[in-house]
Amino acid sequence: MGPEIYTMLELQSLWDKVLAAKNEIARSRHAIDFWRGEMKAMEAKMADLRSRVNQLKTNIKQKELELHDVESRIQFLDSKKNSLKSQREFDSMLSELETLNKKKDEIENNMLQYMEDVDAIEGELDVFQHEMPKRLNQIEKDVEELQNKLESLQKEAEDNAAQFNKQITELPPDLRARFAKVIETKGNGIVPLENGICMGCHYQVPVYVKDEVAKSKAVTCTNCGRFLYFKN
């Protein structure tokens, strides 16, 4: 294996490490965003439960006022029974009482439903408030670990990139430019040639290319432009 091919293989190894670190960095950042989103979702859920409880309690108070007005009207009509002078007035009063009593039943049913809803939501809120601190604490630990990992990965990527930039100068200028371009665009700048087939694009290269590779010369695939080598 010629020195130029050997150098390119070392460079490829460094570049692979850079790409692997960058991919892991992207995954770590995605995980951090996910967990931070979970924290915001939990806080939003808590706020929503509290808001619903407050609204239901407000509804109950409004119904209490409505109920008080209806009951007051019923009491007033009851107090007038003995003072009615005609059957028509009595029938009218009975009709209004019937309507008011139905309204009273409706209000009481609404209040009962609101109270049941409050109990259910407050029960959910109690569980949430009990579990939330533990969950948030675990999320904070996970995020901290991911951030530490992120810093380590960033340093690893920077170190390998620096080594790559230093070592690529060992290639002749013409090869250096071609190799840098192909590795940047395709990720792998040098790949094995197996049975005359480029392992980068799976193209059957011409015989003369295969002969040049056999001589350990720095040649590229005529299809994808990657440099080729024979595995020992």
Side-chain angles (χ1 to χ4, degrees), residues 11 14-15 18 155-169:
L11 288 167
L14 289 169
W15 192 252
V18 170
K155 185 178 185 307
E156 180 181 340
E158 290 169 1
D159 290 346
N160 283 310
Q163 182 62 29
F164 176 91
N165 292 331
K166 177 182 177 182
Q167 199 161 334
I168 200 172
T169 59

Side-chain angles (χ1 to χ4, degrees), residues 99-111:
T99 300
L100 288 170
N101 280 312
K102 287 181 179 179
K103 182 66 173 177
K104 178 183 176 183
D105 289 342
E106 180 184 345
I107 293 172
E108 289 175 339
N109 288 333
N110 287 337
M111 289 177 64

Side-chain angles (χ1 to χ4, degrees), residues 186 188 191-192 197-205 221-226 228:
K186 300 183 183 301
N188 49 349
V191 296
I197 297 175
C198 169
M199 290 294 100
C201 66
H202 303 288
Y203 175 76
Q204 181 82 46
V205 300
C221 172
T222 52
N223 182 58
C224 69
R226 294 178 174 90
L228 302 168

